[in-house]
Amino acid sequence: MEETASATLNNILLAAMEEFSDKGFLGASLRQIVKKAGVTTGAFYGYFSSKEALFAALVEPHAAALMGKFMEAQTSFAELPEEQQPEHMGVESSHCIHWMVDYICRHREPVKLLLCRSEGTSYEHFVHNMVEIEVEYTIKYMEVLRHLGKNIPQLDEQMCHIIASGMFNGVFEVVIHDMPRDRALRYVDQLRDFYTAGWLKLMGQ
């Protein structure tokens, strides 16, 4: 009985992955998912309460993993003593981005759902939320530099948001374009070098 239930669940998830990948959350048909999975609508509701609950089952573990690693990198840097932060600038974020690229390359399809097919769900602002956190911690770091006596110009928060948004959307292009892992890592390293140089210029460093 348990084997049958497990096989049914797997069929639903496979059918949902195909339908969501093809049409996005808004365009996906629950009727088509049920049909492709070979189950009745009643059987479907024995596993999931709604189409969004089904979508969440596919993407939530990956959203949690990516955001969790990102927050770990942000907080570990921010918790360093102020005088140590400049020498560590970029170290944690580099490790984090490499980890994220590797993770994305190992879980391409569900991550692509999260980033490209989630309009109409609670996940549609995933990248925006990550950018907002990046801006918050960037502004905190600039304050640390001022406390350390660095002459850091005031940067408009909206400008910081635009820069961070460009960076993160660029990193996630590795999903959209299905880049091989080695090429993706090279790509994000070059992207980070580009944005780091830009930040240093803006900060007068």
Side-chain angles (χ1 to χ4, degrees):
M1 195 68 160
E2 283 183 14
E3 267 185 40
T4 303
S6 177
T8 300
L9 175 60
N10 190 54
N11 288 340
I12 292 171
L13 292 172
L14 288 173
M17 180 70 75
E18 183 181 340
E19 181 76 1
F20 287 136
S21 296
D22 185 36
K23 300 174 184 174
F25 174 78
L26 290 177
S29 164
L30 192 53
R31 182 179 298 175
Q32 282 300 312
I33 292 171
V34 167
K35 183 179 177 182
K36 288 176 185 176
V39 299
T40 64
T41 303
F44 169 83
Y45 284 115
Y47 293 90
F48 300 101
S49 61
S50 64
K51 185 170 77 166
E52 183 156 5
L54 174 57
F55 188 88
L58 292 169
V59 304
E60 173 58 28
H62 308 289
L66 291 167
M67 186 62 81
K69 188 68 174 181
F70 175 66
M71 287 305 305
E72 180 187 316
Q74 295 285 1
T75 55
S76 64
F77 177 79
E79 288 169 359
L80 288 170
E82 289 190 351
E83 63 275 9
Q84 292 181 22
Q85 288 188 24
E87 65 191 72
H88 282 264
M89 201 284 240
V91 176
E92 281 78 7
S93 64
S94 178
H95 291 326
C96 175
I97 288 178
H98 280 191
W99 183 92
M100 289 171 74
V101 168
D102 188 64
Y103 186 92
I104 288 167
C105 290
R106 287 185 287 110
H107 304 90
R108 287 184 188 274
E109 292 311 309
V111 175
K112 191 178 287 189
L113 289 188
L114 170 66
L115 300 177
C116 309
R117 296 287 187 267
S118 61
E119 184 181 358
T121 76
S122 59
Y123 299 96
E124 68 176 302
H125 301 300
F126 180 80
V127 177
H128 174 82
N129 293 340
M130 197 171 272
V131 168
E132 288 289 294
I133 294 165
E134 176 73 12
V135 170
E136 177 189 344
Y137 279 87
T138 297
I139 290 171
K140 285 180 181 178
Y141 177 59
M142 288 191 287
E143 286 302 317
V144 166
L145 292 177
R146 292 187 186 103
H147 290 161
L148 293 173
K150 305 286 186 181
N151 184 24
I152 305 297
Q154 291 292 335
L155 292 178
D156 182 89
E157 186 173 330
Q158 190 171 19
M159 185 62 190
C160 292
H161 187 281
I162 291 169
I163 295 169
S165 182
M167 171 68 183
F168 278 94
N169 280 288
V171 168
F172 290 131
E173 285 284 304
V174 300
V175 176
I176 297 167
H177 294 294
D178 294 320
M179 291 184 182
R181 179 180 174 279
D182 289 347
R183 183 180 166 201
L185 288 169
R186 185 169 66 250
Y187 173 95
V188 296
D189 280 342
Q190 291 172 338
L191 196 64
R192 282 192 68 260
D193 288 345
F194 176 83
Y195 277 96
T196 299
W199 275 118
L200 291 173
K201 176 71 174 177
L202 288 175
M203 290 182 183
Q205 300 299 296

